[in-house]
Amino acid sequence: MFKDFLDFFTLTGFPEITWQMPVMWVVCLVLFYLAVYKGFEPLLLVPIAFGALLANLPAPALTTEPPGPVLSTMSGSVVEWHVAPGAMVEEGDLLATLQSSDPEKPELIEYRAPSHGQITELAVMPGESLQVGQKLATIFSREPGGLFYYISRGIEWEIFPPLIFLGVGALTDFGPLLARPVTLLLGAAAQLGVAMTFLAASFMGFSSGESASIAIIGGADGPTAIFLSAKLAPHLLPAIAVAAYSYMALVPMIQPPIMRALTTMPERLIRMKSLRKVSKLEKLVFALLVTVFCILLVPAAASLIGMLMLGNFFRECGVTDRLVKASQNEIINVITIFLGTSVGITMTGERFLKPETLMILSLGVVAFSVSTASGVIMAKILNLFLPEKINPLIGSAGVSAVPMAARVSQVEGQRADPTNFLLMHAMGPNVAGVIGTAVIAGYYIATLK
Amino acid sequence: MFKDFLDFFTLTGFPEITWQMPVMWVVCLVLFYLAVYKGFEPLLLVPIAFGALLANLPAPALTTEPPGPVLSTMSGSVVEWHVAPGAMVEEGDLLATLQSSDPEKPELIEYRAPSHGQITELAVMPGESLQVGQKLATIFSREPGGLFYYISRGIEWEIFPPLIFLGVGALTDFGPLLARPVTLLLGAAAQLGVAMTFLAASFMGFSSGESASIAIIGGADGPTAIFLSAKLAPHLLPAIAVAAYSYMALVPMIQPPIMRALTTMPERLIRMKSLRKVSKLEKLVFALLVTVFCILLVPAAASLIGMLMLGNFFRECGVTDRLVKASQNEIINVITIFLGTSVGITMTGERFLKPETLMILSLGVVAFSVSTASGVIMAKILNLFLPEKINPLIGSAGVSAVPMAARVSQVEGQRADPTNFLLMHAMGPNVAGVIGTAVIAGYYIATLK
Amino acid sequence: MFKDFLDFFTLTGFPEITWQMPVMWVVCLVLFYLAVYKGFEPLLLVPIAFGALLANLPAPALTTEPPGPVLSTMSGSVVEWHVAPGAMVEEGDLLATLQSSDPEKPELIEYRAPSHGQITELAVMPGESLQVGQKLATIFSREPGGLFYYISRGIEWEIFPPLIFLGVGALTDFGPLLARPVTLLLGAAAQLGVAMTFLAASFMGFSSGESASIAIIGGADGPTAIFLSAKLAPHLLPAIAVAAYSYMALVPMIQPPIMRALTTMPERLIRMKSLRKVSKLEKLVFALLVTVFCILLVPAAASLIGMLMLGNFFRECGVTDRLVKASQNEIINVITIFLGTSVGITMTGERFLKPETLMILSLGVVAFSVSTASGVIMAKILNLFLPEKINPLIGSAGVSAVPMAARVSQVEGQRADPTNFLLMHAMGPNVAGVIGTAVIAGYYIATLK
Amino acid sequence: MNFLLPLATESVAGHIGFLTNLRYQTVGVMIVMTSLCVLAVLVTVVAKGLSFFPTAKKSPAPAPEAPVAVTKDGISPEIRAVIAAAIHVSLKSPHRILHVQSVQNPQLHAWSVEGRRQIFQSHTFR
Amino acid sequence: MNFLLPLATESVAGHIGFLTNLRYQTVGVMIVMTSLCVLAVLVTVVAKGLSFFPTAKKSPAPAPEAPVAVTKDGISPEIRAVIAAAIHVSLKSPHRILHVQSVQNPQLHAWSVEGRRQIFQSHTFR
Amino acid sequence: MNFLLPLATESVAGHIGFLTNLRYQTVGVMIVMTSLCVLAVLVTVVAKGLSFFPTAKKSPAPAPEAPVAVTKDGISPEIRAVIAAAIHVSLKSPHRILHVQSVQNPQLHAWSVEGRRQIFQSHTFR
Ligand code: NA
Ligand code: NA
Ligand code: NA
């Protein structure tokens, strides 16, 4: 009877615990603490941290692939099969020995089963060559894939970020931007931080795809960052997502010193005259303008820009209340849960506990700081030409991180002059930054794919 | 440096603009105007128009198929392959030259790649024959399909229309119909317009499948029209959807003249005694009756009728508030966004800027008018037999277009006698029309598939 | 003309009516009656009954598989093909004669088409052997699968039950449990009913997988029961789901007599001192503890436990209102509709009108009764050791069936002493039962898969 | 099935005779007519059948009335404002109130509520 | 794994001995028992641990109380009606109000609110 | 496309020169700048264009004001409480009310409502 106990114990996850797991549990606790008690973007960090917790428990069944054709993940040739048709395999069992055709490292690779089931077909004979994506064998089983395998399709298929943007668009008021179009330039300037970070990352040895994905953290747009890294550097997705969202919450700490260092008191005291009322028609035209122009410019970002402006059109046209409500609530809330958890589930110890992660986290700070600085400086440059000066404190809002960066400008402004209200003026560059980041993301995809 | 600019320009969408695009942009603007400023069914027309705008920007990545097996879209034989295994192809690249086996036009066809990636298999050798749906080759890539490829599954798989009907059912009160069952005949009569239009369309040279899809516009049920044309004439879907929804909004313009022309003042003055209260039990029995009887009659429309009455059962049983709420709001709103945009995304210039489209739009008017007329006439016929006369003005409500047609009856009734309230009486034929249209749609599918 | 009518009649479902259908309609009416007029878990029973109604109408198009590769459901060899490549087949047409390799019954099997379309490939030649899951042929058609084929993926892929649990977690307050941790044992004890029922079922000749699925009814957790039987005994799913949900509603009838029989008046009069306030931090720690510990113990139930505690973490952390709202409403309501109907759609007469069903229904009562009893007895045993006695009436709440079982304890308590409020005390074992059932379900999966 | 065969063939290629079509459509319309006729009859029969035993218990006054029914005849502008606020808050999206009315005749009231819900639900305000 | 092997084989074909089953189930129940025992212990330990440093800051009075807490002891029927209307409007579906009560003891109140939410959320009104 | 080729190759294998990268990034930033510049110009032009014919009809006062506008200047604590209840009920989740204010200047009000919605919508209360 007691022996049965021990028998069962071998079926539990306890024997499978690796050293990384407890370490990652601590990482998760830190994230939970930041989210729950420090208010770091809890809507995203809580699902991400919880997903990461699940990812670091020995429960492969959560993410296992469904059975079916096994597509080779490498080019080369089959040296030897270790299974025969009809054999039952567990996920991770040795299937075959392949000879890699990669000139760099032509060693033998042990190819393992991506899912459990029965081998119904061996598609490539020993000696035959095969290429990436070619069918190697077929595995059959009545067991489905893991829950998070299915949920993660939303990221693999790049569906979640655009849907989040649909909601963001329905929540965004471009009025302040339209009332003072020049603020678009502040949103553009902030992207300088992205470019700088790309250089730094590339210099530190990251590939271009990786560098672009890391750099985009400076854009302070979670969905865009996830969209881009899912495309160009999926293996860095968890680290980038964590950085993107936690730094967004650090905005109130990172930005103020930079803003003060770069501005003089007289500049901080500048008062801007209140914004004119923008008509519904203007807002609608703007939504369509951005859609057409930006998609023509960077077709690769079409799904992001298109959904953002669709949501915004719903919001502004005033005759689709039900759709606005659905975008602002049902869609964005539900997708946020799935997006967050499926980002977290990729955060396994093997992937996350690496020096790269620290490098990414530090590069993220650089990105945010440079973006902030370049936004402020651009504002000062504009003041050289503009008849009516703008308060450079709103330049920092160009990093988006809506609406936090704008609130920082407001706070800093009031520190200088308690009767000066910059919030609405800062909303202009704030939302402009979203468009700017989408454009540069499209530029990266177009040139690196 | 400037050269780099030009280099990048070649990557943008600007060089890809075709003459149809600007034309379609104007079409979209017209639709937006009608939806936003004229209130034409904005809940559907706004998403459709926005989808159409995206469809007419050079962003193929929005709708590209995911890589995988390439199933031949034609029967014939392979004359020559233009790619070798391992070759990288872009969407639209030439794959092979096929010899069509179609006796009508046995010419050579240049077969192009449906998606981008690497050829991992050529499944049919030159000289070998192949048939529709047979695997021609396999393309592999880590890139997923386009956002709207995935969203459009809801239409391809005929999932969206039934789900919309779930919500419609939860929003529909069949009480007025049950209080005066004879109004079911008015809903039936209105389908005469559908039949007439079929004849007209077929006479104008449309195939039976196309004619049926066009004719159903007269049913004034968007979801049914989309469901039917997705099945019988997918290439006409955009034109039919646009016609179906914009004409629904034209009801207040199309119907009144016809109604007045066909009725005498004494008829318009008829007062109907107020409807009896219908018990919950009656409504529940009705929901089940319709489900069983109509599905037995036209199994092909089972998903539409089943979902419609499921939603209605939720509504009437009084113990599933949460499910009613979910059907009336979350489900119908979210699906409407996806349905509308994925209908719009099919509205490319090549497809839409054709004489057929104009023919469809004109046939749509015919359909609506005849439906209206036949509803009114049926009401007059019934009056020959019924002891207590019904006001023929409610006959026009048989075209459904809930609740607009009913409101038209109300308005016309009050024009004749300001103290005469027909709204609730008109709701009877109004909802009956929904069932009638579902039945004739099922008839078409059963006989044409 | 009249002949045309008859022609059409052959296309309707009327000729397809089998004797089981009317019988099942009556079964559905009974379920509707229980749900609507007796309030038996209407949120689940109404969709299930409606799905069952659809399942028993001759509308195969509702559930037909989409065309594609035909994977053999048996091992053996092909004796003869009855179709040639290019042939059109209807769902159910004879494809081939196979020789089963099953030693038990090696007879010839007529293999029929799982979907309609055109045969584009015969993958196994006559005389060749094939195994379960191997590709037998390929069918092509532009027709998609049935609406419920797609909706049912949520059950086939085991996605729906965990998502329901996400909502349940967001609706559950573990406070009472944390205020008196010993109640966890009451929730554990109730699982004795599950074990007993397993023995009974196995003794009655059910296989282990079937027995486990039937036994879990005693856990009174709908989603867990569906999750388990979808894995271990899909053919019994409808009967088990019906039993699980209708008995949950019978709790107020099944439990009281047992509770009274097993307790003395003095015991029923025991007053428990009101529960201490549990801090937010405690609740959060608990959520994480259960996640880590239970998933380590039974990785097979990871998706259920993980989602349950994720929802609960959302609820308790207090900074994710939007996600709590989405889990408690949008997600759980929408999924409930799809879960219920796709359980119902499997409830065909052939499957449901069997002696097994009656056996399952009766075993279900056993399960509930034993669970109730063991909960109460465990409470009495605990009282032998505990300094401050607990009222055994709350032991019965260990069967979960939240919150009904707890309300029964409350009612019984007040029958003995109208001033005694047990509701909140009973919530402890009540929610503990959910965890207990998930654990034993995981135990069954781990040992039987 | 005489008129279906040509259609079947036609759907693959070529065009079809007007008379066949005419017959095809006539049958279609007749089928719709007869089926909805049958439904009408069934419904009437059911109604008759139910009218015998009291359904009172089974059909409680529709819940929606409950809340409004509580309000006294004249609603103070204050209350009006608060309902407005409530609607505003609860719908979380731009919104205009048509009118808040209190009602005597529950029968009538049921309709109007129904009507209003219908329209509210299936269309946005303009 | 002695008792698992027969099961594994059996699940493919044939039946299984009662004693094996009995053992199988006993082990199952014992596992459930021990595991939930462990949980109970862990929870108690945690509670003890936390009880040392003040958690006041970390557990603010549950938000739900806030709104209702504002209401004075007796709620006028007028307000009652308006809340009804608000609920009616905001839920957009047939609905009956059980009762609107104001509360002294926040502790108790928390429970009752909890209870009410629980039931409201997991069941429809009857 | 001189600077894209190396990237294309590199993305497959190996590393890339700093200068190429520098150019690559400069072009990127310039593209962002110019494109948003163009947008700014277009927007200004549009605004000018529209400012000619009256858009009054086309831009009705934002609906959200309507309900609140009804409320008189001072809102009684009673009403405050009821709105609280309404919010509580309608949101069905723990929730704290920041403040209920009535407003004179509709212009200002539009902003503040906007701001409040913005923040409410994109973040949870803390
Ligand atoms: Na940005
Ligand atoms: Na109709
Ligand atoms: Na349980």
Side-chain angles (χ1 to χ4, degrees), chain B residues 46-113:
Chain B
V46 168
I48 290 179
F50 206 96
L53 183 61
L54 294 178
N56 291 283
L57 291 169
L62 279 177
T63 51
T64 177
E65 269 183 35
V70 179
L71 303 186
S72 171
T73 57
M74 54 171 281
S75 295
S77 60
V78 174
V79 176
E80 175 192 12
W81 279 104
H82 301 291
V83 292
M88 296 297 310
V89 294
E90 278 306 309
E91 188 179 354
D93 287 359
L94 183 59
L95 283 187
T97 309
L98 304 189
Q99 166 75 59
S100 164
S101 63
D102 180 344
E104 307 269 302
K105 37 186 160 40
E107 75 275 3
L108 293 175
I109 279 124
E110 301 206 317
Y111 205 94
R112 308 193 160 275

Side-chain angles (χ1 to χ4, degrees), chain A residues 193-195 197-202 206-219 224-226 228-229 231-233 236 240 363 367 437 440-449, chain F residues 7 10 21 24-25:
Chain A
V194 175
T197 316
F198 182 104
L199 292 177
S202 179
F206 286 102
S207 79
S208 293
E210 294 170 335
S211 306
S213 311
I214 295 168
I216 213 74
I217 295 172
T224 311
I226 290 171
L228 191 69
S229 42
K231 251 190 180 0
L232 302 180
L236 299 183
I240 289 171
L363 283 166
T437 305
I440 198 159
Y443 171 74
Y444 286 140
I445 299 170
T447 49
L448 295 177
K449 276 232 328 301
Chain F
L7 292 172
E10 172 272 349
N21 258 342
Y24 177 37
Q25 294 314 308

Side-chain angles (χ1 to χ4, degrees), chain E residues 63-116:
Chain E
E65 299 176 23
V68 189
V70 195
T71 63
K72 290 179 253 58
D73 199 330
I75 299 176
S76 75
E78 198 172 40
I79 303 305
R80 215 178 287 278
V82 178
I83 294 177
I87 294 168
H88 171 51
V89 173
S90 60
L91 293 193
K92 284 194 285 350
S93 69
H95 194 93
R96 191 176 300 102
I97 297 173
L98 296 188
H99 70 307
V100 182
Q101 79 177 59
S102 71
V103 191
Q104 267 71 346
N105 178 340
Q107 167 71 42
L108 244 170
H109 172 243
W111 286 139
S112 57
V113 157
E114 189 40 60
R116 248 185 282 127

Side-chain angles (χ1 to χ4, degrees), chain D residues 10 18-19 22 38 40 47 61-62 90 103 118 123:
Chain D
E10 173 273 348
F18 181 78
L19 283 183
L22 185 56
V38 174
S90 61
V103 191
Q118 274 281 357
H123 290 271

Side-chain angles (χ1 to χ4, degrees), chain E residues 1-83:
Chain E
M1 298 171 289
N2 48 7
F3 75 87
L4 303 176
L5 289 183
L7 292 171
T9 52
E10 173 273 347
S11 64
V12 180
H15 194 49
I16 183 168
F18 181 78
L19 284 182
T20 325
N21 260 341
L22 185 56
R23 229 167 96 215
Y24 178 36
Q25 294 313 309
T26 327
V27 175
V29 171
M30 284 168 67
I31 281 162
V32 175
M33 286 292 189
T34 23
S35 55
L36 269 66
C37 251
V38 174
L39 263 183
V41 174
L42 289 175
V43 169
T44 325
V45 172
V46 169
K48 279 273 161 300
L50 296 178
S51 61
F52 289 135
F53 48 85
T55 58
K57 180 192 119 299
K58 287 186 182 83
S59 65
E65 299 176 23
V68 189
V70 195
T71 63
K72 290 179 253 58
D73 199 330
I75 299 176
S76 75
E78 198 172 40
I79 303 305
R80 215 178 287 278
V82 178
I83 294 177

